[in-house]
Amino acid sequence: MSATELRGEACSLAPDPSFAPARARIARALFVRAVAGLPGHPLTLVMPDGLVAVTGEPGAPTMTVHRESFFHRLGTDRRIGFGEAYMAGDWSADDLPAALAAFAASVDRLAPAPLRWLGRAIERRLPMAEENTISGAAANIARHYDLSNELFALFLDDTMTYSCAVFEPGDTLESAQRRKHEALAELAGVRPGDHVLEIGTGWGGMAVHLAATRGCRVTSATISREQAALARERIAAAGLADRVEVILRDYREIEGRYDRVLSVEMFEAVGERYWPGFFACCDRYLRPGGAVALQTITMPHGRYRATRRVYGWVHKYIFPGGLIPSREAIDRALAAGSALRVVHANEIGPHYATTLRLWRERFLRRSDAVTELGFDATFRRMWEFYLAYCEAGFATGAIGDVQLRLARP
């Protein structure tokens, strides 16, 4: 599915003509059992006939299933069908992040043990078409980041930063993003006169901060044409074109050596097979005495091992070719590909729940503007679900976010 296809009616989800009543009935029974078995009864479940199947604790969010097709989608492909059902309007919740958090907190216990084993055996595997070769990575990145610069501008702050912020009391989203930029600059030890390599430009916020506050030169590499174009405009508008160069180049094709290397939430798009090679590149680009500041989303090692080859809703609709590592997996990839090691770590995952909440609220407030850009109602529900899904993951600790300083011992 291309970025163009995701813009409009091609994203609509028609009912599946192969509806299987028996499979839907089984999915219905298992889903009600799973919700009823959630520890602490954190969710109220209302069925299509209006009856309450599960009563949650006082104040619990309510999930309402509007159509029986929800159970068919769930029975057909539980990992993808749950999100697709929300996109299609088969279910809703009065507090979507809280409803998703109820599942995220118990994600490994939603099905009975025998069915968990069976589910792992039959789950769809990551398609070879999304392999992160140089050409494959460019295609994967284009599907998300080249959707529309205007779309991202509707919900990001003025720095156009699309990664976890770091909040202190009284911070706005923008000031929290600048705090994150400064924390990474400090972590890498960027000094005046340094030549810094940034792997993953975004829309130029980190590069602008480094050049403006640290007096350094920045070479920033991206494989998103849309991001590169806008980042160059923003850098020029900031009067920093003489200090910041944006290159349209894969991380494997960069030339030269640098005093510091920074990469902010790009590592999740590298792909497990290429992690050692990524760190080998960082090692090769880094001058003696330099350091790497890497910010990446993480998950617990057991969860990473269980899902590392499973194809899910996020792969299909949001981040094709993506994979979130564990800290253990990062350490192993570092040892396999480079002389670099983790010498300092800051866990900032809880800040991501706040960041995502603010993005989601901004996105929903600007829904009319999203429509004017050519994105239909199904797309808007898809992005609402994506932002709430991630918010729930960080709020419950199912996923985290870490800033790492990498250096040669």
Side-chain angles (χ1 to χ4, degrees):
M1 190 177 298
S2 69
T4 301
E5 288 173 329
L6 284 171
R7 293 183 69 93
E9 291 304 323
C11 190
S12 63
L13 297 172
D16 189 336
S18 63
F19 180 76
R23 185 164 54 189
R25 284 196 297 271
I26 294 172
R28 189 186 217 266
L30 289 174
F31 185 73
V32 172
R33 173 178 171 171
V35 174
L38 291 173
H41 306 290
L43 188 66
T44 292
L45 177 64
V46 178
M47 304 301 270
D49 57 9
L51 295 179
V52 176
V54 178
T55 300
E57 63 181 353
T62 297
M63 174 181 176
T64 302
V65 179
H66 302 292
R67 293 189 286 269
E68 292 292 334
S69 52
F70 167 79
F71 301 109
H72 172 64
R73 295 184 197 275
L74 209 58
T76 300
D77 191 333
R78 64 188 179 93
R79 285 188 177 275
I80 295 176
F82 188 71
E84 286 187 336
Y86 190 83
M87 292 164 62
D90 288 346
W91 68 276
S92 63
D94 57 2
D95 185 339
L96 182 59
L100 293 173
F103 294 110
S106 303
V107 67
D108 294 320
R109 301 191 299 273
L110 290 177
L115 292 181
R116 290 200 295 271
W117 178 88
L118 177 62
R120 286 193 291 270
I122 65 175
E123 278 175 325
R124 295 169 63 181
R125 296 311 191 207
L126 295 171
M128 289 300 296
E130 294 184 4
E131 185 73 19
N132 284 301
T133 60
I134 290 177
S135 60
N140 289 337
I141 289 298
R143 278 182 51 187
H144 186 80
Y145 295 95
D146 288 354
L147 275 171
S148 164
N149 287 334
E150 293 78 12
L151 172 69
F152 288 97
L154 289 176
F155 66 91
L156 299 180
D157 66 281
D158 287 345
T159 69
M160 286 292 287
T161 303
Y162 190 39
S163 54
C164 181
V166 176
F167 290 86
E168 292 290 345
D171 272 346
T172 63
L173 179 57
E174 181 176 344
S175 63
Q177 291 291 10
R178 295 189 189 281
R179 186 184 304 282
K180 182 269 302 294
H181 292 154
E182 182 58 22
L184 287 169
E186 191 69 23
L187 189 65
V190 179
R191 302 164 300 190
D194 278 350
H195 189 182
V196 177
L197 171 64
E198 182 185 28
I199 302 177
T201 305
W203 287 276
M206 185 79 229
V208 166
H209 181 87
L210 290 171
T213 66
R214 294 277 167 154
C216 61
R217 287 192 302 133
V218 182
T219 296
S220 186
T222 181
I223 54 175
S224 167
R225 294 185 179 276
E226 292 294 319
Q227 285 190 322
L230 184 55
R232 287 169 180 149
E233 290 179 15
R234 291 169 55 80
I235 289 163
L240 296 169
D242 60 330
R243 290 192 176 187
V244 181
E245 178 188 16
V246 175
I247 58 175
L248 195 63
R249 201 166 303 165
D250 188 277
Y251 70 89
R252 290 160 280 201
E253 300 178 314
I254 298 169
E255 299 173 351
R257 302 191 79 187
Y258 303 84
D259 300 295
R260 312 286 162 179
V261 177
L262 281 85
S263 186
V264 185
E265 292 181 23
M266 173 271 178
F267 187 70
E268 303 88 337
V270 170
E272 182 182 48
R273 175 181 171 186
Y274 302 97
W275 289 345
F278 174 86
F279 289 126
C281 288
C282 291
D283 199 353
R284 185 169 72 249
Y285 301 145
L286 194 63
R287 291 191 176 113
V292 178
L294 177 75
Q295 180 171 313
T296 181
I297 298 170
T298 61
M299 67 168 62
H301 191 60
R303 186 70 185 151
Y304 151 76
R305 286 178 56 84
T307 61
R308 53 199 277 261
R309 291 193 173 93
V310 175
Y311 185 66
W313 182 87
V314 170
H315 293 109
K316 183 174 181 179
Y317 289 102
I318 306 297
F319 293 117
L323 179 63
I324 296 174
S326 66
R327 282 292 308 278
E328 291 90 338
I330 291 172
D331 288 339
R332 291 176 185 178
L334 278 166
S338 75
L340 297 169
R341 297 294 182 268
V342 175
V343 296
H344 189 77
N346 298 321
E347 175 58 48
I348 61 171
H351 295 274
Y352 225 150
T354 304
T355 305
L356 283 153
R357 175 179 59 80
L358 294 173
W359 287 347
R360 180 176 52 82
E361 290 171 353
R362 287 167 173 241
F363 182 85
L364 293 175
R365 284 199 302 268
R366 305 300 300 279
S367 61
D368 289 344
V370 175
T371 302
E372 291 171 3
L373 290 174
F375 297 98
D376 70 2
T378 305
F379 179 93
R380 295 195 303 274
R381 284 194 296 269
M382 178 178 76
W383 266 64
E384 181 190 4
F385 184 84
Y386 152 57
L387 294 170
Y389 175 86
C390 294
E391 180 183 340
F394 287 105
T396 59
I399 46 179
D401 200 43
V402 67
Q403 295 175 334
L404 302 174
R405 178 182 167 91
L406 313 179
R408 302 181 185 101

